[in-house]
């Protein structure tokens, strides 16, 4: 019987006999939230600008909205390296379509293409939650949201990304007016949509550490895309 | 009748045992044609500290090649001048860095041979690095590195980084490894107080960070290189430089 009980010895990782195991995961969670709200003749999309990994903030100023055409914008959050790759291929596909058909791809067509492109990687998915917004063929605002493997749903408002689960019920209440009595069916105005969008991100920045710093907002109308930015808390 | 309940005999010769799967005779089901990927890093380099100032970029990194906790190689340069408008710093696996460095240097030679006056630009190298890193991570055989690209493009300074997954971003302050925890807060604080740093101020800040990192990062080394790039003085790699050590406080630490 040995004098030193083996389990009494402290564990020093640097002096352990077994080599340190570095496991490799091809995915990273870089956080970020995207919110989109559609109206009758406009659509707004906002994304925060924080790029993080765990408790580290890589940068406080990262645009996560990608302009695919004059009427279509894609918001991405999740694994940033996948986002970079997907958006790069998407822009190339948009260009190929334009040159082949001599017209710009419409938002519904783009929405279908994105779904197909995501499902193509079904067994090694792009780990991104995508929200695609734009104007449809009648000029109405539309929002398409996706899961990482290409399931697509058309909606009028959607929250996605790290604070998606936090924000969607808030939108259900404020935009969807769900389970409310004595509310008129008044049309959603652009001003109201923008105000709710900002409030919703302020709320997310309070509770979600992966959302913050600032937001970039794109407003799409028949006149084009307008940019706005808005500061959030930076802690 | 049975030796134990766990070892019931097969129903027939080479057949399945009760509650077990049938083992078909012939080819074994274990795959033979696999490759082991995603190895661990071996000889590693620690943090890179990089800062963009008003007219250019500074990148610094020490010269230690660690073998786990062993300070194995003490003269490993990992900051390099790619061409007149790009400087590059690398952390992580040193062998992977040397492999990528050789490819980059060959690209520069090929480009010089064309003799058309065009030179690789920092954003192009940054983008290219993003693609090779993402490509290797998708094969589950990553280059275990963090690259920091600095340079001047269209008269504007550029600073960007790529990690082993292909995660890439550009910012005014970039530190990798322990520097992300120790140097980034120091630099963000300094830049917030003085957004328009001069070259001298930026250099002093980075030198301070290398000193602090030497005190606290156990895989660091007091000998380092600094590269600077701007339009007036071009790309310059300096070093080896020694850390200005000051241990006057040491006796106060219990």
């Amino acid at each position: 019987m040995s004098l030193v009980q083996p389990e009494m010895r402290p564990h020093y990782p640097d002096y352990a006999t077994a080599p340190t195991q570095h496991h490799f995961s091809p995915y990273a969670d870089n956080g970020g939230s995207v919110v989109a709200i559609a109206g009758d003749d406009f659509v707004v999309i906002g994304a925060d600008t924080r790029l993080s990994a765990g408790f580290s903030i890589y940068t406080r100023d990262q645009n996560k909205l990608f302009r695919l055409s004059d009427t279509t914008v894609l918001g991405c959050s999740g694994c940033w390296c996948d986002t970079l790759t997907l958006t790069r291929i998407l822009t190339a596909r948009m260009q190929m379509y334009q040159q082949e058909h001599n017209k710009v791809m419409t938002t519904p067509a783009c929405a279908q293409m994105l779904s197909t492109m995501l499902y193509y990687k079904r067994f090694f998915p792009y780990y991104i939650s995508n929200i695609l917004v734009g104007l449809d063929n009648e000029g109405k605002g539309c929002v398409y949201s996706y899961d990482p493997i290409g399931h697509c749903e058309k909606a009028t408002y959607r929250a996605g990304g790290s604070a998606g689960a936090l924000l969607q019920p808030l939108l259900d209440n404020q935009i969807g007016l769900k389970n409310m009595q004595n509310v008129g069916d008044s049309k959603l105005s652009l001003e109201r949509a923008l105000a709710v969008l900002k409030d919703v991100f302020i709320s997310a920045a309070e509770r979600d550490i992966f959302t913050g710093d600032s937001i970039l907002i794109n407003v799409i109308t028949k006149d084009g895309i307008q940019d706005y930015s808005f500061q959030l808390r930076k802690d | 009748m049975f030796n134990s309940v766990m070892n019931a005999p097969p129903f027939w010769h080479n057949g399945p045992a009760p509650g077990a799967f049938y083992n078909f005779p012939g080819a074994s089901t274990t795959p033979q044609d696999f490759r082991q990927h995603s190895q661990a890093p071996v000889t590693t380099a620690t943090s890179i500290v990089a800062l963009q100032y008003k007219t250019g970029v500074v990148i610094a990194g020490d010269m230690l090649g660690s073998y786990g906790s062993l300070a194995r190689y003490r003269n490993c340069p990992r900051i390099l001048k790619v061409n007149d408008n790009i400087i590059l710093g690398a952390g992580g696996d040193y062998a992977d860095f040397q492999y990528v460095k050789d490819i980059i240097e060959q690209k520069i030679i090929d480009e010089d041979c064309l003799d058309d006056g065009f030179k690789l630009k920092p954003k192009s190298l940054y983008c290219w690095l993003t693609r090779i890193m993402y490509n290797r991570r998708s094969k589950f055989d990553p280059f275990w590195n963090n690259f920091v690209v600095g340079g001047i493009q269209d008269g504007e300074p550029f600073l960007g980084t790529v990690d082993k997954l292909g995660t890439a971003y550009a910012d005014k302050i970039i530190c990798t490894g322990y520097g992300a925890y120790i140097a980034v807060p120091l630099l963000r604080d300094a830049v917030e107080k003085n957004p328009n740093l001069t070259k001298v101020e930026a250099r002093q800040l980075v030198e301070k960070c290398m000193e602090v990192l030497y005190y606290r990062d156990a895989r660091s080394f007091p000998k380092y290189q600094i590269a600077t790039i701007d339009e007036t003085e071009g790309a310059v790699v300096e070093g080896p430089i020694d850390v200005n050590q000051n241990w006057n406080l040491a006796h106060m630490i219990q």
Side-chain angles (χ1 to χ4, degrees), chain A residues 145-163:
Chain A
S145 66
Y146 299 82
D147 73 356
I149 54 171
H151 166 257
C152 174
E153 188 185 20
K154 192 174 184 231
T156 51
Y157 57 90
R158 179 68 78 205
S162 61

Side-chain angles (χ1 to χ4, degrees), chain A residues 14 22-28 30 51 56-60 62 80-82 84-85 88 121 124 126, chain B residues 38 40-41 69 127 130-131 134 137-138 140 142 144 163-171 181 188 219:
Chain A
D14 283 352
H22 292 260
H23 67 277
F24 173 73
S25 163
Y27 294 117
N30 301 113
L51 190 72
S56 306
I57 296 173
Y58 281 160
T59 175
R60 299 185 191 281
Q62 180 61 61
W80 184 244
C81 63
D82 281 340
L84 287 172
T85 308
R88 195 168 280 274
K121 293 264 293 168
F124 188 18
Y126 293 120
Chain B
S38 59
S69 60
C127 179
T130 311
R131 294 303 89 203
Y134 186 82
R137 82 104 217 192
S138 300
F140 281 83
W144 212 283
D163 78 356
K164 64 177 179 296
L165 300 180
T167 312
Y169 60 93
D171 203 352
Y181 303 103
R188 283 195 182 151
R219 305 285 172 265

Side-chain angles (χ1 to χ4, degrees), chain B residues 8 47 52 79 122 130 154 160 174 177 182 187 201 205 237 250-251:
Chain B
S47 328
Q52 189 190 103
I79 308 287
T130 311
D154 307 323
I174 288 175
I182 295 171
L187 293 174
E201 288 167 332
L205 261 173
V237 183
H251 72 280

Side-chain angles (χ1 to χ4, degrees), chain A residues 77-109:
Chain A
S77 69
C79 180
W80 184 244
C81 63
D82 281 340
T83 303
L84 287 172
T85 308
L86 176 72
T87 52
R88 195 168 280 274
I89 300 171
L90 261 173
T91 356
R93 292 282 295 265
M94 293 296 285
Q95 195 176 348
M96 285 159 68
Y97 183 99
Q98 205 276 331
Q99 286 161 348
E100 250 174 60
H101 299 93
N102 201 26
K103 66 176 182 185
V104 178
M105 201 188 291
T106 60
T107 305

Side-chain angles (χ1 to χ4, degrees), chain B residues 40-54:
Chain B
V42 182
T43 301
T44 57
T46 181
S47 328
I48 290 282
V49 177
L51 179 61
Q52 189 190 103
Y53 57 94
K54 200 163 48 178

Side-chain angles (χ1 to χ4, degrees), chain B residues 54-183:
Chain B
K54 200 163 48 178
T55 55
V57 177
V58 200
I59 300 180
D62 70 22
M63 301 190 71
L64 182 67
S66 300
Y67 189 85
S69 60
L70 176 69
R72 181 70 182 83
Y73 305 102
R74 304 195 289 179
N75 192 25
C76 289
R78 55 195 177 94
I79 308 287
L80 59 127
K81 174 186 169 179
V82 175
N83 62 21
D84 289 333
N85 38 26
I86 309 174
I87 51 175
L88 177 72
D93 191 279
Y94 201 72
D96 283 348
F97 159 65
Q98 285 180 316
Y99 181 81
V100 176
K101 185 188 80 172
D102 286 350
I103 299 172
I104 294 170
E105 281 173 350
Q106 190 58 52
K107 276 167 76 75
I108 299 301
I109 292 169
D110 291 351
E111 210 165 45
D112 282 350
C113 290
L114 290 175
D115 200 25
D116 54 7
F118 289 111
K119 278 181 186 154
L120 189 67
K121 291 173 180 173
K123 283 177 191 170
S124 311
L125 179 70
Y126 165 73
C127 179
W128 179 80
L129 279 171
T130 311
R131 294 303 89 203
I132 60 152
M133 299 306 267
Y134 186 82
N135 188 252
R136 288 292 289 260
R137 82 104 217 192
S138 300
K139 291 175 178 165
F140 281 83
D141 187 15
F143 288 127
W144 212 283
N145 295 111
N146 286 297
F147 287 107
V148 179
V149 182
I152 306 288
Q153 185 158 345
D154 307 323
E156 292 289 314
F158 170 81
L159 179 60
T161 183
V162 189
D163 78 356
K164 64 177 179 296
L165 300 180
T167 312
Y169 60 93
D171 203 352
K172 285 190 167 185
I173 297 161
I174 288 175
C175 300
T176 67
Y178 261 99
Y181 303 103
I182 295 171

Side-chain angles (χ1 to χ4, degrees), chain A residues 53-74:
Chain A
F55 291 124
S56 306
I57 296 173
Y58 281 160
T59 175
R60 299 185 191 281
D61 191 23
Q62 180 61 61
N63 180 20
K64 293 165 196 167
L65 299 179
F66 299 89
R67 214 169 273 197
L68 300 178
S69 76
D70 288 341
T71 54
T72 314
V73 171
L74 173 67

Side-chain angles (χ1 to χ4, degrees), chain A residues 33-37 131 143 145 153-178 196 200-201 203-204:
Chain A
S33 302
V34 186
V35 173
I37 304 168
I131 294 179
V143 174
S145 66
E153 188 185 20
K154 192 174 184 231
T156 51
Y157 57 90
R158 179 68 78 205
S162 61
L166 205 70
L167 298 180
Q168 189 61 41
L170 190 55
L171 292 177
D172 283 334
N173 181 254
Q174 290 295 304
I175 304 290
L177 306 174
K178 300 283 190 228
V196 171
V200 134
F201 269 105
S203 311

